[in-house]
Amino acid sequence: MRLRISFEGDNLQPKPNKHAVQGFIYNMLKGTEYGKRHDEPRFKFFTFSDFFRDGDGRLTLLISSPEGGFIEALYSNIRGRDHVYIGKHQLKPVEIRMFKLPLRKRFQTGSPVVIYKNAQNNEYFKLHAHRDLRFFIERLKENAERKYNAFYNDEFVLDSPIFDRLIPKLRSNGKLDVYVRVIKNGVSFPVIGSNWELLEKERIKPEERRFYRFIMDAGLGEKNSLGFGFLNPIRR
């Protein structure tokens, strides 16, 4: 399930930092059954898109989760508010709605996908530098299976590559990797990922539909709750 929020505000530059957006989401969950999600030592099972401008020029954010109750709790706590704070930004929610999207075989990213090359050394996989697409796909699959099985208490294993066709999105400078600066408690650190024009699974079997619906809402790769790995299903 997804939540779309469009905001108005006097000062929207620079756009709110990803850690600030994460803090806003946790703050909007206070007083609900998901109010302690931040402190739970497990996958958080939500992600959010990069900010974008809607057709009316309003700053817009999408939040997704495989837990319908999670999205409903956010919707109930944000709806009707005159303003909210995202970091230092005071914003007015002018449109908010919940919706579901049909499962497709093709996706594109709404925020960079992050994979660790070496988690112990905090080393991110760099598509431009490491050039090992097989490693990238295998790690995506392993990560998605772990999250799915934790969510459903299952032992599901996908018996084929997670995607059959991948087209990366080139930056204006010709680079593939995206460096996102995250600020937490006044400390700045980079998170490295990549955006994708197309992630395609040629055939999704009936027994795989729940898995792909899960990753469509939970996100791909690492650091989903910091707003990485957001997926949008696309038509041909």
Side-chain angles (χ1 to χ4, degrees), residues 155-174:
E155 296 181 358
F156 175 81
V157 175
L158 188 67
D159 62 2
S160 60
I162 190 169
F163 296 113
D164 302 313
R165 185 175 178 224
L166 300 88
I167 301 177
K169 182 176 182 179
L170 283 174
R171 297 169 57 195
S172 57
N173 61 5

Side-chain angles (χ1 to χ4, degrees), residues 149-190:
N149 288 327
F151 186 78
Y152 285 110
N153 192 26
D154 202 350
E155 296 181 358
F156 175 81
V157 175
L158 188 67
D159 62 2
S160 60
I162 190 169
F163 296 113
D164 302 313
R165 185 175 178 224
L166 300 88
I167 301 177
K169 182 176 182 179
L170 283 174
R171 297 169 57 195
S172 57
N173 61 5
K175 301 281 187 179
L176 294 168
D177 298 307
V178 179
Y179 288 70
V180 180
R181 192 157 297 280
V182 177
I183 302 174
K184 182 177 181 181
N185 299 325
V187 178
S188 175
F189 60 94

